[in-house]
Amino acid sequence: MNLDAVVIAVLVAAALAVALGAALGWAAARIEPDASALVERIDALLPQTQCGQCLFPGCRPYAVAIASGAADIDRCPPGGEVTVRALAALLDRAPRPLDPAFGMPKSAQVAWIDESRCIGCARCLPACPVDAIVGAPRLMHTVITAQCTGCELCLPPCPVDCIELRPAPAVSRHQRRPCAA
Amino acid sequence: MAARSTFPAGLVLDAHKQQACESPIIELPLPTQVVLALDQGAGYSAEPVVAVGDAVAAGALVARADHPFASAVHAPLAGIIVAMETREAAVQGGRSLCIVIDGSGADRIDDSVRPVTDPASLSPEELVQRMRDAGIAGLGGAGFPTPTKLASARELGAHTLVLNGAECEPWICCDDALMRSAADDVVLGALILRRAAGTVRCVIAIEDDKPAAIAAVTKAIERLRDDALTLAVIPAVYPKGAERQLITAVAGVEVPAGGLPADAGVVCQNVATAAAVARWATRGEPMLSRIVTVTGSGVAHPGNVRAAIGTPLAALIAACGGYRGAPLRLIAGGSMTGRALPSDEVGLTKSMNCVLVTTRDDIGSRLGAVELPCIRCGDCASVCPAGLLPQQLLRAALADAHDALRRLGVRDCIDCGLCDYVCPSQIPLADRFRHARRRLLEAEAMANKAAAARERHELHKRRLQQAATAEQRAFDSVRNRARQPGDGSAGDGN
């Protein structure tokens, strides 16, 4: 057996290892993972209720916190177990139960204003994170049901407690392509 | 015309039509009370235009169709409206707002009921509008409003009208009975529908196990001598009567996944709908009645009955000799695609082509059956007329894997139930797929809502930001003016 051939093979393998290792090390240092892309992907999995139960002011800030490691994935009661699982799969972590300190999941709900009791104070308008309440000072307010996320943020500012949460309407049975006529 | 091509798979099922088909159609007299569901089977409700206590004449409008997927409802008898409430009904979800009319026995007919003097003189648009006013809906089983379908076919430029006389469900024979007794009505209705849909030709498709109906329709077509109206005899394979499968069998084209038949240039209507259109044109009668097969081993004398819409099903069963043996389950529609009903007090709807009474002898063995694991025999895939892979769909449905469900085409499932029928492990596949489609729909609705909420929240934040900036600027300017000596009025800002 030729000793030279063995030496050459070992040297080539060693050289390859050093070169590839250096390239990988350089790439790890220079090409940073795109943090904003990760935030987008996390945000896409959150339910967009904008309720703040995670103690962040909205879904996107929570996504930023998850991406940076400042918050765990168990803080979103509206998303429930489904969201935790989706986040765990995206981030390659083990799924975990929701932290009850941030609230318990509820079935889908929407706000409803008792118009006979509403005094038109307009305090709930800025509180609504998705502008789903229509109204003006001293005029009747009402909730656009289709856009309400059921976040409950309109409840505390109401001075007469005329807002209540009701079960969200069911999704329409049909989803055919709209016809003419 | 011979059938050019056929759809993949399907199955020849044992027919149970003979007994019901032998006897002539029973004309049921008007009942004393009708229960009119405002959702006539299409999933959308008409808007009531009457109130409790109102007197209505026969043929009067009681609910108008505001939504294009709803159809107008008319009073089949003169009487008083005694109730308007949500009741159990033969519709999806099992409940619908219903109008209950007590017959007064009077023979008062509404002024709006008068024959269409000359359907050929009306423009297609007028025809469609008049049919909408008359509450014409598909009698084949889905109850979809005919005018909506015709209008969309016109818009998409359909060239062929296929009249569905296949009637592939093993127990149903109301269309067969209709074609044998009133083939001229079917042909006349075909001409009106062809004109309203703007198609060049019309093909009446009948399965080859109905020789009497084929003979009657052939004669009616011959009397008419219209080259653009032909008959297609297709082999009796379930589910040939499903819209897409029928179109493939008759026109040799496949309707694209997620598309409408009109995308393939075809519009489909049931033969019974055509006959109802003829009735409307010649007598001016809105859709007030239909022929329904009352059958099953739990009925004494199975037969076909023409009854007013809203007739309680108990009256239909009584007309066929009442119950026999130990009735176990009442089903609206056929044995393959029908839906179990809560009671026989629900009213007949436009979409109900069959009332099936099953006994313990028919389905008892199936009821006690335990679902076993899938053994991957592949029988379901070999019978699936939509060319799907039910085995794989089942895995995806159990895992609630939405992407996989979409990729495997769960939406192209036509709900024919053949996979259930052949499954040796008694897995309720079609049920699982129905549930999966519902889950997909909900997930998509939630995703759309989340996307809208995200956008609105961004706009909300921007608006609050702008308002805060504007306020700050106003405050600054007032403060600056206050600091200027000699300007006394600026202090109000504080």
Side-chain angles (χ1 to χ4, degrees), chain A residues 43-44 47-48 50 57 110 126 128-132 145-149 171-177 179-181, chain B residues 39 42-44 69 92 132 148 151-152 155-156 260 263 411 438 441-442 444-445 449-450 453-454 456-457 460 463:
Chain A
D43 193 36
Q48 305 302 321
Q50 317 293 356
V110 289
C128 178
V130 292
D131 289 337
T145 307
Q147 277 154 3
C148 174
T149 63
V171 178
S172 166
R173 280 192 287 269
H174 289 257
Q175 204 183 43
R176 285 185 64 164
R177 202 172 68 181
C179 292
Chain B
D39 172 2
Y44 283 82
F69 291 0
Q92 277 181 55
R132 187 179 300 288
T148 303
S152 96
E155 196 148 287
L156 295 167
L260 295 173
D263 293 328
R411 290 217 157 115
R438 174 85 204 163
L441 205 64
E442 280 172 0
E444 274 160 26
K449 192 167 177 180
R454 184 182 293 122
R456 289 177 73 84
H457 183 56
H460 170 82
R463 188 169 55 79

Side-chain angles (χ1 to χ4, degrees), chain B residues 309-345:
Chain B
I309 304 296
T311 306
L313 299 190
L316 295 177
I317 291 160
C320 292
Y323 292 108
R324 181 179 66 180
L328 193 63
R329 196 170 275 180
L330 188 63
I331 296 168
S335 55
M336 297 298 287
T337 60
R339 193 181 297 133
L341 291 174
S343 81
D344 60 6
E345 283 162 25

Side-chain angles (χ1 to χ4, degrees), chain B residues 40-339:
Chain B
Q40 281 288 318
Y44 283 82
S45 287
E47 284 298 314
V49 295
V50 289
V52 174
D54 286 3
V56 288
L61 182 76
V62 293
R64 63 166 198 271
D66 285 350
H67 194 281
F69 291 0
S71 50
V73 180
H74 299 77
L77 46 69
I80 309 285
I81 293 175
V82 291
M84 199 186 307
E85 61 199 10
T86 302
R87 287 195 179 187
E88 283 176 333
V91 297
Q92 277 181 55
R95 294 178 81 75
S96 166
L97 188 62
C98 293
I99 293 180
V100 185
I101 306 176
D102 261 356
S104 56
D107 211 10
R108 203 154 60 83
I109 293 174
D110 197 68
D111 299 336
S112 65
V113 178
R114 50 172 185 268
V116 182
T117 42
D118 184 12
S121 69
L122 291 176
S123 74
E125 289 79 12
E126 268 177 292
L127 270 178
V128 167
Q129 185 53 47
R130 301 266 298 261
M131 279 187 216
R132 187 179 300 288
D133 296 341
I136 307 285
L139 295 179
F144 192 80
T146 303
T148 303
K149 215 171 181 182
L150 294 175
S152 96
R154 273 191 84 72
E155 196 148 287
L156 295 167
H159 49 70
T160 304
L161 167 69
V162 174
L163 276 201
N164 187 348
E167 202 165 54
C168 55
E169 275 265 7
W171 289 87
I172 309 179
C173 57
C174 57
D175 291 349
D176 188 5
L178 169 83
M179 287 188 285
R180 279 184 289 135
S181 65
D184 287 318
D185 273 2
V186 173
V187 171
L188 174 62
L191 297 184
I192 300 172
L193 285 172
R194 190 179 69 186
R195 185 172 158 73
T199 60
V200 185
R201 58 196 196 107
C202 172
V203 182
I204 302 178
I206 307 176
E207 279 189 351
D208 59 7
D209 62 347
K210 302 177 186 62
I214 293 170
V217 172
T218 308
K219 257 186 215 151
I221 292 177
E222 274 168 8
R223 276 197 288 275
L224 202 73
R225 297 220 185 99
D226 185 332
D227 290 339
L229 178 64
T230 49
L231 175 71
V233 177
I234 54 176
V237 178
Y238 182 84
K240 194 72 86 180
E243 191 170 65
R244 281 151 200 260
Q245 280 61 32
L246 183 73
I247 289 167
T248 307
V250 172
V253 289
E254 196 176 338
V255 179
L260 295 173
D263 293 328
V266 183
V267 55
C268 213
Q269 288 293 342
N270 191 269
V271 285
T273 316
V277 166
R279 224 177 146 87
W280 159 73
T282 51
R283 305 190 194 180
E285 188 183 295
M287 195 168 261
L288 299 181
S289 66
R290 69 158 298 146
I291 299 173
V292 52
T293 303
V294 180
T295 187
S297 49
V299 174
H301 307 295
N304 289 296
V305 183
R306 176 179 278 285
I309 304 296
T311 306
L313 299 190
L316 295 177
I317 291 160
C320 292
Y323 292 108
R324 181 179 66 180
L328 193 63
R329 196 170 275 180
L330 188 63
I331 296 168
S335 55
M336 297 298 287
T337 60
R339 193 181 297 133

Side-chain angles (χ1 to χ4, degrees), chain B residues 348-369:
Chain B
L348 179 68
T349 58
K350 293 174 186 174
S351 63
M352 203 188 296
N353 45 12
C354 179
V355 179
L356 185 64
V357 185
T358 54
T359 57
R360 194 161 284 283
D361 300 339
D362 306 328
I363 56 168
S365 62
R366 194 79 179 169
L367 278 186

Side-chain angles (χ1 to χ4, degrees), chain A residues 12-78:
Chain A
V12 166
L16 264 176
V18 169
L20 289 173
L24 280 174
W26 179 83
R30 290 298 300 273
I31 307 172
E32 275 185 36
D34 190 351
S36 71
L38 182 61
V39 170
E40 290 296 335
R41 291 171 70 187
I42 296 172
D43 193 36
L45 295 179
L46 295 175
Q48 305 302 321
T49 322
Q50 317 293 356
C51 60
Q53 289 184 73
C54 53
L55 303 183
F56 291 94
C59 295
R60 203 183 160 82
Y62 179 41
V64 172
I66 293 176
S68 68
D72 211 337
I73 57 176
D74 57 0
R75 287 189 172 198
C76 181

